[in-house]
């Protein structure tokens, strides 16, 4: 049972992208999945070609965590971050945290017998504060229904931000997200071209209230069982990555994390 999806955007210190990816893929998501409250995790890289190129967007990586207890998962992070139980590589640019739980409103799987083997289209949406009900109904009945069956789409989810269970004392730039898992990146790229313009003409979003990005798969989807009972290959990769990272870790910044 999934209660929330944790959406995390990150970037590397310039020139340390390889160290950042090694740490996040082989250490960090494994540490996080050992915490109570989590179910699965997967990483993605910003695709080289974008259907709706976002202006001024410099995030490089996306991570999605399926969470069954966001309060507990957040507490585990707050209690363990920057300790030996969750070391944070000095390769990550932590000047800005973008790390929010979103809560499901709609979900559609177009073919449960087919696994997800590709990337993600991420729509971030922000209507005026007084039009949430109208926006939800409009998006569910129009854009979500149409986008969920576009070429290349495996599954679709529409989610909303709530203050409940969050890790950091901030509000995201966009209060809604739609996550479209895709198995045909080229088809999805073409299907989403101009989608931001179409949504903007609905009149239900704030100015600059939409951002659409495409992401390529960086890791397979890991489960809690994968890290609690690792294969010999998985364990060797984690041990190698920890040895490579050594003591090049961050020791400060915990003050950025605080429950509301």
């Amino acid at each position: 049972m999934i209660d929330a999806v944790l959406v995390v955007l990150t970037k590397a210190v310039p020139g340390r992208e390889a160290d950042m990816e090694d740490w996040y893929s082989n250490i960090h998501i494994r540490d996080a999945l050992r915490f109570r409250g989590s179910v699965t995790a997967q990483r993605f890289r910003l695709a080289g070609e974008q259907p709706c190129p976002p202006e001024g967007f410099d995030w490089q990586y996306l991570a999605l965590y399926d969470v069954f207890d966001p309060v507990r998962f957040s507490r585990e992070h707050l209690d363990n971050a920057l300790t030996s139980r969750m070391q944070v590589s000095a390769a990550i640019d932590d000047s800005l945290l973008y790390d929010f739980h979103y809560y499901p409103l709609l979900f559609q799987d177009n073919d449960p017998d087919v696994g997800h083997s590709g990337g993600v289209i991420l729509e971030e949406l922000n209507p005026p504060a007084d039009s949430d009900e109208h926006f939800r109904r409009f998006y569910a009945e129009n854009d979500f229904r149409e986008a969920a069956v576009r070429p290349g789409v495996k599954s679709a989810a529409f989610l909303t931000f709530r203050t409940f269970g969050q890790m950091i004392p901030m509000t995201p730039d966009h209060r809604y997200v739609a996550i479209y898992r895709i198995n045909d990146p080229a088809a999805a790229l073409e299907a989403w071209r101009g989608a931001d313009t179409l949504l903007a003409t609905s009149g239900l979003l704030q100015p600059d209230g939409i951002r659409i990005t495409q992401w390529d798969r960086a890791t397979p989807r890991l489960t809690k069982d994968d890290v609690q009972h690792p294969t010999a290959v998985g364990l060797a990769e984690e041990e190698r990555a920890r040895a490579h990272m050594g003591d090049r870790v961050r020791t400060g910044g915990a003050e950025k994390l605080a429950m509301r």
Side-chain angles (χ1 to χ4, degrees):
M1 179 67 179
I2 303 301
D3 285 347
V5 175
L6 181 66
V7 177
V8 183
L9 296 174
T10 53
K11 55 186 176 180
V13 171
R16 297 204 59 192
E17 287 80 8
D19 288 339
M20 165 75 176
E21 292 226 40
D22 192 27
W23 163 73
Y24 210 120
S25 294
N26 295 307
I27 299 174
H28 186 64
I29 58 175
R30 293 176 179 272
D31 285 343
L33 284 172
R34 292 184 179 105
F35 295 160
R36 295 170 295 177
S38 61
V39 180
T40 70
Q42 188 170 12
R43 289 191 62 240
F44 304 89
R45 300 183 191 96
L46 187 67
E49 188 174 1
Q50 293 291 317
C52 309
E55 185 176 349
F57 188 84
D58 65 350
W59 299 109
Q60 297 169 296
Y61 311 109
L62 166 70
L64 300 175
Y65 296 82
D66 289 339
V67 177
F68 72 86
D69 188 339
V71 172
R72 176 167 283 184
F73 194 46
S74 292
R75 176 51 60 190
E76 292 274 286
H77 273 77
L78 292 167
D79 289 346
N80 292 284
L82 303 175
T83 72
S84 60
R85 298 178 297 280
M86 180 173 262
Q87 293 181 313
V88 177
S89 171
I92 188 174
D93 181 346
D94 68 347
S95 59
L96 179 63
L97 299 177
Y98 202 95
D99 194 323
F100 300 101
H101 282 108
Y102 287 86
Y103 294 81
L105 297 171
L106 294 171
F107 178 77
Q108 177 173 318
D109 191 333
N110 292 326
D111 191 345
D113 292 330
V114 174
H116 175 225
S117 59
V120 161
I121 295 285
L122 178 68
E123 292 188 359
E124 300 173 88
L125 309 159
N126 201 31
D130 59 352
S131 65
D132 281 69
E133 183 176 349
H134 184 38
F135 167 74
R136 288 189 192 189
R137 184 170 60 253
F138 176 88
Y139 188 84
E141 295 176 355
N142 295 275
D143 294 89
F144 181 83
R145 180 179 296 177
E146 185 270 332
V149 295
R150 284 176 180 163
V153 175
K154 148 67 177 168
S155 65
F158 180 40
L159 308 96
T160 184
F161 171 81
R162 299 173 185 161
T163 57
F164 177 77
Q166 300 297 335
M167 292 187 194
I168 57 178
M170 296 169 56
T171 299
D173 296 334
H174 302 86
R175 303 196 314 279
Y176 294 88
V177 299
I179 300 169
Y180 298 92
R181 293 184 180 268
I182 55 177
N183 279 350
D184 188 336
L189 175 70
E190 293 305 315
W192 256 270
R193 289 195 190 278
D196 54 345
T197 301
L198 289 174
L199 276 166
T201 60
S202 70
L204 294 176
L205 295 168
Q206 294 184 9
D208 301 322
I210 179 169
R211 184 166 69 192
I212 299 177
T213 46
Q214 183 163 344
W215 302 82
D216 294 331
R217 169 175 153 151
T219 67
R221 201 174 195 179
L222 288 178
T223 68
K224 182 177 286 292
D225 187 67
D226 289 331
V227 299
Q228 290 182 335
H229 307 283
T231 64
V233 172
L235 186 59
E237 275 297 280
E238 183 177 350
E239 291 175 346
R240 179 205 54 76
R242 290 188 187 277
H244 175 73
M245 181 176 66
D247 61 359
R248 294 177 298 170
V249 299
R250 296 199 177 277
T251 57
E255 70 281 355
K256 297 178 182 179
L257 300 174
M259 294 296 286
R260 291 177 179 271

